[in-house]
Amino acid sequence: MTKKDIVRTISDEVGLTQQQTKKIVQRTFDSIIETLVREGRIELRNFGVFEVKPRAARRARNPRTGDEVIVPEKYVVTFKPGKYMEVRVQDAELDGHHDSLSGEHGPANSAAPTPEPETMPSNKNSGRWDED
C-alpha cells in the first residue's frame, strides 16, 4: 500500500477530496518526523511507539573487495507495535493472509488454528489506535 492508496481510502471514507486528505495525511507524517527529531520518541497509544536510538559504530566488510571498513555510529528509528496491532497482525497471519508476505501458497497454510479469545481486545475498549 502506498501513501496514495491511504489517501484514496480515507478520502472515500470521510467524504473529503483527495487533495484535502493528502494535506492531512502528509501533515500527520511530517508531525511524526518533527516530533522524533525534537523529542526522540512518539507514542501512539494502541498503535505503537516510534523511537530514535543510537546504533553503535562497527566493523564490516565491503562485499565486493572484502576490505574491512568502519561503519560510524548513527541514529535509527525503531518501531514497537502496540498490542492492538500485534493482535490484528497475528489474526491475519492465522487466517492465511501472510501468504503474499512469505511467498508461500497452497492448502498447507489453511489449517491454522483459530485465535484464543483472551488475545482479542474486549468489546468495552476496542483498542483501536484512533479512538484514544
Side-chain angles (χ1 to χ4, degrees):
M1 177 173 259
T2 65
K3 182 167 59 173
K4 188 173 187 173
D5 295 330
I6 292 169
V7 167
R8 188 178 300 123
T9 301
I10 293 172
S11 175
D12 292 345
E13 288 181 12
V14 300
L16 294 174
T17 66
Q18 287 189 21
Q19 277 301 71
Q20 292 169 320
T21 306
K22 181 180 177 184
K23 286 180 184 177
I24 293 168
V25 169
Q26 187 59 55
R27 184 62 193 122
T28 301
F29 292 157
D30 292 344
S31 180
I32 289 170
I33 293 168
E34 289 167 14
T35 301
L36 284 171
V37 168
R38 191 176 56 250
E39 298 177 25
R41 178 182 165 94
I42 184 164
E43 182 175 339
L44 303 170
R45 297 225 184 259
N46 297 316
F47 183 77
V49 177
F50 293 93
E51 194 167 18
V52 176
K53 293 185 177 182
R55 180 175 290 164
R58 61 188 170 87
R59 289 183 223 193
R61 293 221 174 259
N62 180 328
R64 289 187 183 196
T65 64
D67 294 342
E68 188 175 278
V69 293
I70 302 297
V71 179
E73 178 186 70
K74 68 177 184 175
Y75 291 93
V76 295
V77 177
T78 63
F79 177 73
K80 182 178 182 210
K83 193 167 209 159
Y84 178 73
M85 182 184 296
E86 285 184 339
V87 168
R88 289 293 308 263
V89 170
Q90 181 64 28
D91 288 349
E93 184 174 284
L94 290 173
D95 291 341
H97 294 126
H98 72 292
D99 292 350
S100 62
L101 296 176
S102 66
E104 298 173 4
H105 299 284
N109 296 328
S110 62
T114 56
E116 294 296 322
E118 318 56 84
T119 63
M120 298 300 295
S122 70
N123 290 338
K124 179 179 155 194
N125 179 8
S126 70
R128 285 183 50 132
W129 60 272
D130 60 348
E131 290 180 350
D132 203 37

